[in-house]
Every structure is written in structure tokens, then in C-alpha cells.
Amino acid sequence: MIHDALIIGGGPAGATAAWFLARAGWSVALVEKASFPRRKVCGEFISATTIPLLHTLGLGEPYLDMAGPPVREVGLYAGKYMLAAPMPVTRTAGQCWGHALGREHLDNLLLNNTRTAGVNVLQPCHATELSRKDGIFICRIESPGKNPARELQARVVIAAHGSWERGSLPTHIPKQKSESRDLLAFKAHFTQTELPPGLMPLLAFPGGYGGMVHTDHGRVSLSCCIRRDTLQQIRAQEHQGAGEIVLGHIMEHCDGVRYALAHAQRDGAWLSSGPIRPGIRTLHHDGIFAVGNTAGEAHPIVAEGISMAMQGAWLLSELLIARREQVLSGDTEQTGLDYAQDWRRHFAPRLRHAALFAHLAMRPAATQILLPLFQYIPGLLTLCANLSGKTTRIIKGT
């Protein structure tokens, strides 16, 4: 069987694209290497502008039932400062606010939804080779254990495997030499915290940045990025695990985090990944389209990763469906150019603003200058949230 589309990666971007294409009558195969449910380094927040997309997928109500409380305020914890301001309001699909849901629940919800749409989900399976012959892609997949390797054939390939995965596919990022400025990502859940419900504070500390948000089952997610050289410096002074050392560094420089977690209990182990590679990558080449972090990655300081992944997958799906005959015949060049243009128009500003915010947050000299300004003009926090894409609407309300 030759599938119309092969999607490599079953996270939010891959599952969203798979659902839309399958519902439009495409034969779709999706390959996901991990077994679900899975925990994953991620801020877990989804903006209000993405809620209409969840409703279109038929998952709006299940998502809202499982997710944490509505996030009505954006905050800033840095040094002695514990600031809060209103989250910019986006009234769309009856929702004004974003929410957070653990990736072990979100990914399951999305991928199971593709199965009901008729997607051929192969999990756990690892795509190891990808070639093209006579206009047809041939993908070699391997399963754990003694199962023999198989081949899938498809006319179009969508790479949704993320930016951290290493491998031999054309869309995998080659392994790069470690640098002192590399950003390493950490995440953990906590219960019994004192973080006010509805507040999502940015954490600014020397050499890194992070965020906290209420998610499902009474948990608070703390995710952060820290420079490799900063981590090496503080690890030389401590003998704990890396996650606890990073948390100690954050609490030393953020009174708000120390107060919020004073009596908290960690729920599960620390997760780590990276280094992250913010930037825009190749969005299309020779019939292979990229979505999610495979397409481009913003500094997670803006908490827009999941929203960008799902919205970008929707953008691509709309184009592919509208040009089905042309694309499936092998003529993908113009569609790829149009997709790249649309993607950059909608998401490049978020990447630029995220880079600016990240570099300011990691520098103590910059935060010392800016913090009094944010204290006296809290609306600047709302403005920054707006610039990060919290009100950027590309999906029409339902």
C-alpha cells in the first residue's frame, strides 16, 4: 500500500496534521518511536488562541475537563520581585484564557484521536531510513524486540519528530559540538505548592530562565533552561542530581519560587533534555514538510511551543488538502514555498521576541535595570505576553 502521507512523530504537531489529513480522506500512516503515555520536558501551556483548534479536533471539552485552571495572570519572579499583571484577553471559541495539561495526558489524547480518524498509527516504531524512488518515499521502520524491519511507502512525508532527536533522516539535525552557551532544559512537577491559581510567572535568574504553571491533578509544572557553563559552575559546588542543583540555583535567585515551593513535594523524577536549538529550519524540501520544532523552535520562555506546533500543523494541512491532486502527483514546490511564507509570517515574530526576552532574562545586569520598570508599570508584562503570541489568532473560532 502506498499511503498519501507518512508522518514521522506523534506529538502535538504530528497528531494534528494526521487528524486533518485523515478526515479529508487521505490515507495516513504515523510512526511514533515512544510508547505513550510519556513524560516530556515541556512547559505544558496552551494559549487561548489554540482552544478553537482543540474544539475542531473534537477535543476541546475533554482537554478543558482535564487541564489546570485558566491562566488569567502573567507574572515575573526575579530576585526579591514577585510581580503579576493581567494576561491579555483573547475571546475565541468561548474561551478567554489558556490552560496547561501534562504531556503524558495531552499526547495520549491527541494520538488516540488520530486513530479514531482512521490513521494507521505504528507505535513504538522508529524511522531509520528515508529514500525516494520514482516519486515515492520509502521509509524503513524498526520496532523494539525481534520484529523484522519493515518499509512504508508514501507520496508525501511530514517530519514531526522534534528538534532534539538525532538520527539519519534528512530532517534530523546533525550532532553539534557542545558549547558553553548551550541551553539545557529541565522540568519537574510539584504538589502542595503556594503558587496562586491562575498565575503563570516567568522565572529570571543568572544564566537561565523558566516558568511555572498549574497543570492537571493539582500539580504545578516548573520548567526551565540553563546555560551549560552556568550548570557546570554550580554543579562544581554541589553533589546532588542536576535537577535539584538547578532548582537550588533558581530558588537562590527567585524569592517567588522559594515561597511557592517552601512546603511542596516533587511528583516524579526530574526530566532533562537539550540543548535546545532555537531558530527556523528547512520547512520544505523535495516533498518533505516540517512541522513543530522540526520546522522552527522559539525560546520556551514565551510558553508557545505546543500552540505553535499545533497551529503550524493546521496551516500545512490546510494547504495540502486544498492542493491534494497537485501535491500527491509529486508537484510540491509551490506548496512548500507558500507554507514556508505562511509559517514565517505567523511565527517568526514570536521567535524574535522570545530570543529578546530570553537574553534579557539570563543577564542579571539587564534584569536589575528592567525590574523596577515592570514594578511601576505592570502593564508591560501584559504587553510582553501579547508580543509573545498569546493573542495571535490564526485559527478561526468555532
Side-chain angles (χ1 to χ4, degrees), residues 106-127:
L106 176 66
D107 289 356
N108 244 0
L109 199 64
L110 289 168
L111 195 58
N112 286 337
N113 201 44
T114 68
R115 293 185 173 96
T116 64
V119 175
N120 178 20
V121 177
L122 298 108
Q123 182 190 35
C125 279
H126 189 60

Side-chain angles (χ1 to χ4, degrees), residues 130 132 137 155-159 170-171 281-290 330 332-333 335-337 339-340:
L130 185 64
R132 197 175 191 185
F137 287 99
R155 293 180 172 85
V156 171
V157 171
I158 298 176
T171 48
R281 309 185 221 289
T282 302
L283 294 158
H284 169 261
H285 177 69
D286 195 26
I288 303 175
F289 296 86
T332 62
E333 188 62 28
T335 301
L337 291 172
Y339 167 59

Side-chain angles (χ1 to χ4, degrees), residues 277-281 283 290-298 308 343 351:
R277 304 291 186 190
I280 301 175
R281 309 185 221 289
L283 294 158
V291 292
N293 283 355
T294 314
E297 186 174 7
M308 288 176 56
W343 196 100
L351 269 69

